[in-house]
Amino acid sequence: MTDRRLFLKTLAAGGGGLMLGVLLPPAGARGIAGTAAAPGTSWEPSAVLRIGSDGKVTMTMPYVEMGQGTYTSVPMLIAEELEVDLHDVVLEHAGADDKRYMNPALGFQVTGGSTTMRAAWMPMRQAGAAARMLLVQAAAQRWQADPASCLARSGAVLHPASGRKLGYGALVDAAAALPLPAPASIVLKPPAEFRLIGKPARRLDTAGKLDGSARYGMDVQLPGMKVAALAITPTLGGRLDSIDEAAALRVRGVRQVVRLEDCVAVVADHYGAAQKGLLAAKPTWHEGPHARLSTADIVADMQRASASAAARVRSEGDPETRIASAVRVLEATYELPFLAHAAMEPMNCTVHVTPTHCEVWTGTQVMTLARAVAAKVTGLPQDQVTVHNFLLGGGFGRRLEIDGVERAVRIATQVRHPVKVIYSRQDDIRHDMYRPYWFDRLRAGIDAQGMPVAWFHHLTGSSVLGRFLPPAFKNGYDEESLDGAERPPYAFPAIRVDYTRHEPQLPTAFWRGVGPTHNVFVVESFIDELAFAANIDPLQYRLSLLQHNPRARQVLEVAAREAGWHGPREGRTGRGLSVQFAFGTYMAMVADVEVEQGEVKVRRVVCALDCGMVVNPDTVQAQVEGAVIFGISGALWGNITLRNGRVEQGNFDDYRVMRMSETPRIDTHIVASHEAPGGMGEPGTSGIMPALANAVHAATGTRIRKLPIVAALQAS
């Protein structure tokens, strides 16, 4: 029997050809490796590679593309080992199926956590290599030659000794009849022979985004489709009281008004009419139990919670004894605000419900969760629900949530036509699910040389993973919330980390960078405080604590050198840095800022990183740049506040994001590495935040312990 743990070979339906199902083997999110599933376990292919009789290579992509470059980097792995041109690989969106398209790092069909390349690295290369070996063997048999005398190049098998050549299309049927190579016999190309991996490659999805042919959820058009605009209760826990339905229906183009407990949807021929109908409807609301709730109330509750019993996450080196003998003890409290996702494409979902079927068109990071909630709302079996996925106009964790799909399906159950439900920008921000507020207490004891002898970190905040995946919350905490705090990159003689779970009334969710956006900021800011208290250069202080961590030390040295850490600075300018290990990637950043009249101008950001083997350097650079800009926006201005039970921000005028004219120069330096790939979608967001805050301190002398930075400066 052939080994089914890595590949499943079958004939392509319809026209013959070679089809390989690819197993993405289970692994933990923190240490993903390309190992096979254990013998005897159930097995389903989680991606499909097809080579047709026309030589066309088609891959069913188990992940979604939301700007991170997945739809280029994963095909590069296939194309490298299969020996085809990158542009010859055609992609198809996968359907909703946890068994076939499971993300092995997270246990179900999901794109998130900077896991895609880490999970795909070995299996996708093995799939390409296995297909190549089968095609070479098929050609060798036809020529009655030794397979070792044949080679694959540019979609064909060559026999150099005789000059013979056969394209893949002429070989696929014969290859499909051959037994699969045993996993141990699959020979991968050594890095020295890579033609694609590690080389810059233009993204395959760029042309469609430039000419408008790329399709997002917002682009869905169906025969007879209507469009719905929403008015959602403005207060947390509020509900709909009354509307003037007759007035809404008098608006030209309005066809229907749908009431839900917490919102009203006006269904019309187009979005403009739907919005006018909402204005005419003049909905009123019961404010609910949180009508007087404010951010200050939530923070006061968190502060009280932080003084109560906590889960012990880590305690090593007898920190209590060591701090008692410290020459000096430093303490600080840090606060990070709620943050919205504010993706360029607001939430939207198109749904058509019939008595026997529900069809959903949307951009989502969680296909099977979207299908499950649609089935729950409609009462249909899941096999009678179809979810069509699209490119995402920004995800950042927001489209890991299914509240928008659920609301759209509830509306669609009352509409005879397909209906596209669109959130306005105000809906999108005011009814987001937010990056949690965090309240952290830190304490450190230092010796006569100013070096730490004991480190204490007590975190208080929401457990998003505890809600999203309850089994992951164990012993009073989850690893996602503690990522970057439980095991900082530094060697402390003694360390204690505690966590108090506090769930606010405001709904919380994953936000690009998740735990590290909070923890790296706090750790790197407090390390900077220790360095200044010891009157030691912040770079040298960190390097002295990284003797055991050569990869972290190297990226820090490269970033500092390339940024000219000890170079001249003018006026109210400052330079700050950070170093981190998050999502399997080591990264250091140096930020140069200028501060004038409370405004911060970021002049330059230098990033050095070691993300293991690099598939596409252009994608790595783009991810750093996008994450840095995203992180600057959050660090300088990002702040969702609550007053009288209402989110106060509603658009880019009061929830500010960085503009193109404000974008700094961003230099990215990739440190060569032969380690397994690390994640790149999120680390830059967490790395830039403390680098900025430390640079502001260097420029102004004001220590930023509460974000956003600009508000903290104006309050100082």
Side-chain angles (χ1 to χ4, degrees), residues 97-281:
D97 191 328
D98 275 336
K99 289 184 178 180
R100 292 179 63 85
Y101 305 119
M102 178 190 71
N103 181 328
L106 302 174
F108 66 106
Q109 186 178 358
V110 55
T111 303
S114 298
T115 58
T116 298
M117 296 311 300
R118 290 185 281 170
W121 169 249
M122 287 300 293
M124 294 303 180
R125 290 179 61 204
Q126 288 172 321
R132 181 193 74 231
M133 292 171 68
L134 290 170
L135 292 161
V136 167
Q137 186 178 352
Q141 287 184 354
R142 183 174 300 187
W143 295 329
Q144 297 184 341
D146 182 357
S149 68
C150 304
L151 56 89
R153 287 288 185 273
S154 302
V157 179
L158 313 177
H159 187 247
S162 65
R164 287 176 288 186
K165 175 179 178 181
L166 282 171
Y168 285 172
L171 295 167
V172 288
D173 289 339
L178 296 171
L180 282 168
S185 72
I186 296 173
V187 179
L188 300 178
K189 295 168 67 173
E193 295 180 13
F194 286 162
R195 296 181 305 105
L196 294 172
I197 294 176
K199 310 295 193 302
R202 293 184 178 181
R203 285 180 46 165
L204 300 179
D205 56 344
T206 299
K209 293 175 179 178
L210 292 175
D211 64 22
S213 62
R215 297 190 70 208
Y216 296 82
M218 193 70 83
D219 297 322
V220 172
Q221 295 294 331
L222 302 171
M225 185 185 78
K226 306 301 178 186
V227 180
L230 299 174
I232 307 174
T233 172
T235 57
L236 291 174
R239 57 187 176 87
L240 181 64
D241 184 6
S242 67
I243 56 170
D244 189 342
E245 185 170 339
L249 291 171
R250 285 195 293 269
V251 174
R252 184 178 179 181
V254 171
R255 303 300 177 188
Q256 189 177 349
V257 176
V258 176
R259 303 179 189 217
L260 300 181
E261 183 176 335
D262 64 345
C263 80
V264 58
V266 173
V267 181
D269 294 336
H270 54 84
Y271 189 66
Q275 283 282 25
K276 290 179 181 178
L278 272 181
L279 290 174

Side-chain angles (χ1 to χ4, degrees), residues 375-505:
K376 180 180 178 181
V377 170
T378 59
L380 293 168
Q382 289 198 26
D383 61 6
Q384 292 175 230
V385 176
T386 302
V387 180
H388 305 277
N389 210 1
F390 295 84
L391 298 175
L392 279 59
F396 314 130
R398 179 63 179 106
R399 285 171 166 83
L400 288 168
E401 304 296 337
I402 54 174
D403 55 303
V405 175
E406 180 177 4
R407 190 185 302 278
V409 175
R410 290 190 184 281
I411 293 166
T413 59
Q414 302 183 47
V415 181
R416 290 189 300 111
H417 308 279
V419 57
K420 181 191 292 185
V421 179
I422 299 176
Y423 283 51
S424 68
R425 178 61 63 190
Q426 288 78 10
D427 293 330
D428 192 71
I429 290 179
R430 290 179 179 149
H431 300 284
D432 198 349
M433 297 181 70
Y434 305 97
R435 200 281 301 271
Y437 200 105
W438 287 96
F439 188 95
D440 286 24
R441 300 180 186 273
L442 283 101
R443 187 161 51 113
I446 59 177
D447 60 20
Q449 288 72 45
M451 303 308 294
V453 296
W455 175 274
F456 290 77
H457 188 175
H458 184 174
L459 305 78
T460 301
S462 174
S463 172
V464 177
L465 191 61
R467 169 189 61 80
F468 192 85
L469 193 65
F473 191 85
K474 301 175 182 178
N475 303 316
Y477 66 95
D478 71 271
E479 291 192 352
E480 196 85 70
S481 297
L482 276 296
D483 194 3
E486 179 183 359
R487 301 197 176 278
Y490 305 107
F492 297 124
I495 182 171
R496 175 175 156 182
V497 180
D498 295 340
Y499 170 70
T500 298
R501 184 175 184 178
H502 178 272
E503 298 298 339
Q505 295 84 348

Side-chain angles (χ1 to χ4, degrees), residues 341-399:
H341 297 85
M344 187 62 67
E345 179 191 17
M347 297 288 285
N348 62 88
C349 184
T350 302
V351 185
H352 188 204
V353 178
T354 70
T356 60
H357 199 78
C358 175
E359 206 159 359
V360 178
W361 295 262
T362 191
T364 178
Q365 296 174 245
V366 283
M367 293 280 286
T368 51
L369 295 186
R371 182 182 63 179
V373 76
K376 180 180 178 181
V377 170
T378 59
L380 293 168
Q382 289 198 26
D383 61 6
Q384 292 175 230
V385 176
T386 302
V387 180
H388 305 277
N389 210 1
F390 295 84
L391 298 175
L392 279 59
F396 314 130
R398 179 63 179 106
R399 285 171 166 83

Side-chain angles (χ1 to χ4, degrees), residues 4 21 109 125 265 307 393 412 467 537 665 694:
R4 291 170 55 88
Q109 186 178 358
R125 290 179 61 204
R467 169 189 61 80
D537 175 78
R665 171 183 167 185
N694 292 334

